[in-house]
Amino acid sequence: MDKIKITFICMLLGCIGFAQEVDKKKIKALQASKNLTSDANKQLTENDFINAEADYRRAISKSSENTSAPYNLGNAYYNRESYKEAFSRYKQAGELTSDKSDKHKAYHNMGNVFMKNKEYEKAVEAYKEALRNNSKDEETRYNLALAKELLKKKQDEQKNDQNKDKKDQKDKEDQKKDQKNQGDQDKDKKGDQDKDKNKDKGDEGDKGNQKKEENKEGDGDKKKEKKQQPKDGDKPKPRPNQLSPQQIKNLLEAMQNEEKKVQEKIDAKKVKGVKIKNEKDW
């Protein structure tokens, strides 16, 4: 029984000694990490970013309890506008620390990164988380109000853009409908024009046929006239009971001769019957 107690006590003492050894190593690592962080801070003030970044990284790898190292490295990235790397380090610091003040700073700066990237909805959530750890910080409260205002403005713009896109889409659809209707109208108009052309062709065909008939009739009349007209050199044959021009001429000459004879007889009778008065003596 005593042996068991002695063994238990020895094991307990060993565990305590091991724990103390571990604590000593952690304390030593934490101290080394803080020293590296201090060196990095100094190098950063001297604008030696390359060496400062290297020391911050070594400090982070030595101790996860040193949340200042990732937080300060995040600030270094933020000042160089490397926002993606800055956010990663702020997030790391916020998750590692249990101190409310440190959490507040980490989430406040995460909100600032979101603001730079115009991710206003995420910025609102980050500032809210920062205020949960320190509700008295006026700067965080101001940033939260600004993020909400910018978020609302962005949502309104998106809504307007959506409405504009819908309107543009509707205009395109209306334009397509108008083009289709215009195409149908043009098609109908063309069809009517084709019908008119065919009708005109039919009318022209009828006119052509009519003209052909007229020409045919004219040619027939001409043929008749040509047939009726005597040939050159031929004397016209008198119709029955109709005098020829020569007969009429002879008849006129005979009548003139007869009239002449009658006139001569009348003149002779006048000469014989007329009394002549005596001439007076002087």
Side-chain angles (χ1 to χ4, degrees), residues 8 21 35 51 94 107 126 129 152 220 230 236 240 263 266:
F8 179 75
E21 186 66 25
N35 292 337
N51 288 325
Y107 280 101
E129 188 62 29
K152 184 178 181 300
Q263 187 66 37
I266 293 171

Side-chain angles (χ1 to χ4, degrees), residues 93-223:
E95 290 175 349
L96 289 176
T97 187
S98 58
D99 185 78
K100 281 186 170 292
S101 178
D102 291 343
K103 275 186 177 293
H104 163 259
K105 292 176 182 178
Y107 280 101
H108 177 95
N109 286 1
M110 287 167 64
N112 291 347
V113 172
F114 287 131
M115 291 286 280
K116 288 290 185 180
N117 293 331
K118 297 183 179 180
E119 298 176 275
Y120 303 122
E121 188 172 0
K122 292 181 179 179
V124 168
E125 296 304 319
Y127 289 134
K128 285 182 178 180
E129 188 62 29
L131 288 172
R132 291 188 186 102
N133 289 278
N134 183 6
S135 60
K136 295 180 180 180
D137 192 291
E138 293 300 326
E139 184 179 351
T140 303
R141 196 176 298 281
Y142 172 83
N143 286 2
L144 175 60
L146 179 61
K148 286 182 177 180
E149 183 65 26
L150 292 175
L151 175 61
K152 184 178 181 300
K153 183 178 179 182
K154 184 178 179 180
Q155 290 173 342
D156 291 341
E157 289 176 353
Q158 289 175 346
K159 187 175 181 180
N160 291 334
D161 291 340
Q162 290 175 355
N163 292 335
K164 186 176 182 298
D165 292 339
K166 288 181 180 179
K167 185 177 180 301
D168 292 341
Q169 183 65 28
K170 187 176 183 301
D171 291 341
K172 287 181 181 179
E173 292 175 357
D174 292 341
Q175 186 176 5
K176 287 182 180 179
K177 289 180 181 179
D178 293 340
Q179 289 176 351
K180 185 177 181 300
N181 293 334
Q182 185 64 37
D184 293 339
Q185 291 177 1
D186 293 341
K187 188 176 180 181
D188 294 338
K189 187 176 181 180
K190 186 177 180 182
D192 294 338
Q193 289 176 349
D194 292 339
K195 288 181 181 178
D196 293 338
K197 286 181 180 178
N198 293 331
K199 185 178 179 182
D200 293 339
K201 287 181 179 178
D203 294 340
E204 289 177 0
D206 294 340
K207 289 180 180 178
N209 294 332
Q210 184 179 358
K211 190 172 183 181
K212 287 181 181 178
E213 292 295 331
E214 292 175 353
N215 291 335
K216 187 175 180 181
E217 292 176 358
D219 292 340
D221 294 338
K222 288 180 180 178
K223 287 180 180 179

